[in-house]
Amino acid sequence: MAAVTRGYRRFALTRAGQAAAVVLLAYVLAFLVISVLPGDSVTNTLRDPQSGLSEADIQRIVAYYGLDQPVLVQLALSLGRFLTGQLGFSLQSNLPVAQLVGDALPSTLTLASTALVIALVFAVAIAYGAHYAPAKAAGVLRSIPSLFLSVPNFVIGLVLIELFAFRLHSFTTTDPNSAAATLFAAITLAVPVSAPLAEVLIASLDHESRQEYALVARSRGLTEAALFARHLVKPSALPSVAMIALIVGELLGGSVITETIFGRDGIGTVVQKAVTGEDQPVLQAVVSLSAVVFVAVNLAADLLTPLLDPRVRIREAVDA
């Protein structure tokens, strides 16, 4: 037992170190990509008459970001601020970037987390029906994931708005942050995301139901529902844990489009304004935040998998 605990501790520390390295590399790459874009967008933004900045203010901002220094010096300054939690100031509003992102983040997290829950419900329902429904119905259910993947989420959003907002008046587009509007926005985001989850669950259930332990359980008179709940759910869910970690990026990216369609003020609005105004500190912060969230969720999935499946050998995972 002690050896297993030590092995898991080494495994967790290794994965955590790799996650930290990925976040740092993502930050450096994002900084370099933004820095090599043609034109001097930072200076152009600062010297825009509408910015209302004096020459002294401009020089102070230039010194703060090291804009008069080589790119590597700017990177060192930026990375140092990032490691201490300082994201700088917006070149458009002169507000702290952390404040802008912090104000918009709750709305996006609410949308993404609600969409993830709905996607899980959709995926489990489709997979269960595809496995246990009569043959004809099961065939239809097995084709649903392909249908979900083939329809862009902005089309789903427009259809839901037309049907439930304009015709059935289930929610109003003038209050995009209401519970009803959030629910339909989350459904828009959840439909395409649920498709790969459902496909993985269907394949896992097909595989696990043919295993010897499932055949033995059936021979002892265990019903299909009990077999599913007691024996098939846990091993079938393992591939889905990894899939959930992978679709976090899709949830974050899709939320930007979904927020625009439903008129929600979230990270999507911040990104849109930053791109339009060439606000590099805000773009850098959003890209870095997305990398942190994506890596953190994948790290959680890596650490959770050995706990869910004792067949996973920690030592083998570390050696790999």
Side-chain angles (χ1 to χ4, degrees), residues 31 40 45 52 83 111 117 126 143 163 201 220 234 281 297 317:
F31 180 89
D40 190 357
T45 302
L83 293 176
L111 175 61
V117 172
I126 293 171
S143 65
L163 180 60
L201 277 174
R220 293 179 176 177
K234 187 175 179 179
V297 173

Side-chain angles (χ1 to χ4, degrees), residues 194-277:
S194 66
L197 282 174
E199 290 178 340
V200 168
L201 277 174
I202 290 172
S204 298
L205 281 174
D206 289 343
H207 173 74
E208 294 297 332
S209 64
R210 293 192 295 267
Q211 298 303 305
E212 184 176 351
Y213 71 87
L215 299 177
V216 172
R218 290 192 185 95
S219 67
R220 293 179 176 177
L222 199 66
T223 63
E224 291 295 335
L227 175 65
F228 175 81
R230 296 180 188 178
H231 300 289
L232 298 182
V233 169
K234 187 175 179 179
S236 299
L238 288 173
S240 299
V241 172
M243 180 60 66
I244 290 173
L246 293 175
I247 67 175
V248 167
E250 185 175 349
L251 283 172
L252 293 176
S255 64
V256 174
I257 300 174
T258 304
E259 286 172 350
T260 303
I261 295 172
F262 284 83
R264 296 173 61 88
D265 290 330
I267 295 297
T269 304
V270 173
V271 171
Q272 183 181 10
K273 292 180 178 178
V275 171
T276 303

Side-chain angles (χ1 to χ4, degrees), residues 14-316:
T14 300
R15 287 292 187 265
Q18 292 172 348
V22 170
V23 170
L24 290 179
L25 288 175
Y27 186 89
V28 171
L29 180 61
F31 180 89
L32 294 177
V33 168
I34 294 175
S35 297
V36 300
L37 291 177
D40 190 357
S41 59
V42 175
T43 302
N44 293 337
T45 302
L46 294 177
R47 297 192 181 279
D48 188 341
Q50 296 182 355
S51 67
L53 296 175
S54 65
E55 187 62 30
D57 293 331
I58 294 175
Q59 293 302 321
R60 186 163 52 252
I61 294 174
V62 168
Y64 176 80
Y65 286 109
L67 301 178
D68 54 348
Q69 302 292 328
V71 173
L72 292 181
V73 176
Q74 296 179 35
L75 173 60
L77 293 173
S78 180
L79 188 58
R81 290 193 299 268
F82 174 70
L83 293 176
T84 57
Q86 301 177 34
L87 300 179
F89 296 87
S90 168
L91 301 180
Q92 287 183 297
S93 63
N94 296 325
L95 294 174
V97 174
Q99 178 182 336
L100 293 175
V101 174
D103 291 342
L105 189 59
S107 176
T108 299
L109 289 180
T110 299
L111 175 61
S113 59
T114 305
L116 180 58
V117 172
I118 295 174
L120 288 172
V121 173
F122 284 173
V124 172
I126 293 171
Y128 184 87
H131 195 71
Y132 293 110
K136 290 184 178 180
V140 173
L141 288 172
R142 287 175 182 270
S143 65
I144 288 180
S146 298
L147 175 63
F148 282 0
L149 282 174
S150 65
V151 182
N153 65 339
F154 72 88
V155 173
I156 299 172
L158 294 176
V159 170
L160 291 179
I161 291 174
E162 173 66 24
L163 180 60
F164 290 98
F166 296 155
R167 298 191 180 185
L168 299 179
H169 306 289
S170 299
F171 69 98
T172 174
T173 55
T174 59
D175 187 12
N177 295 316
S178 65
T182 300
L183 175 62
F184 285 102
I187 292 174
T188 299
L189 186 57
V191 167
V193 168
S194 66
L197 282 174
E199 290 178 340
V200 168
L201 277 174
I202 290 172
S204 298
L205 281 174
D206 289 343
H207 173 74
E208 294 297 332
S209 64
R210 293 192 295 267
Q211 298 303 305
E212 184 176 351
Y213 71 87
L215 299 177
V216 172
R218 290 192 185 95
S219 67
R220 293 179 176 177
L222 199 66
T223 63
E224 291 295 335
L227 175 65
F228 175 81
R230 296 180 188 178
H231 300 289
L232 298 182
V233 169
K234 187 175 179 179
S236 299
L238 288 173
S240 299
V241 172
M243 180 60 66
I244 290 173
L246 293 175
I247 67 175
V248 167
E250 185 175 349
L251 283 172
L252 293 176
S255 64
V256 174
I257 300 174
T258 304
E259 286 172 350
T260 303
I261 295 172
F262 284 83
R264 296 173 61 88
D265 290 330
I267 295 297
T269 304
V270 173
V271 171
Q272 183 181 10
K273 292 180 178 178
V275 171
T276 303
E278 298 181 340
D279 200 338
Q280 291 187 6
V282 176
L283 288 175
Q284 179 74 47
V286 172
V287 171
S288 303
L289 176 64
S290 300
V292 170
V293 173
F294 183 80
V295 171
V297 173
N298 278 270
L299 175 62
D302 285 343
L303 298 182
L304 185 61
T305 298
L307 300 179
L308 292 176
D309 189 357
R311 294 173 297 181
V312 175
R313 295 292 182 261
I314 300 299
R315 182 173 300 175
E316 293 176 2

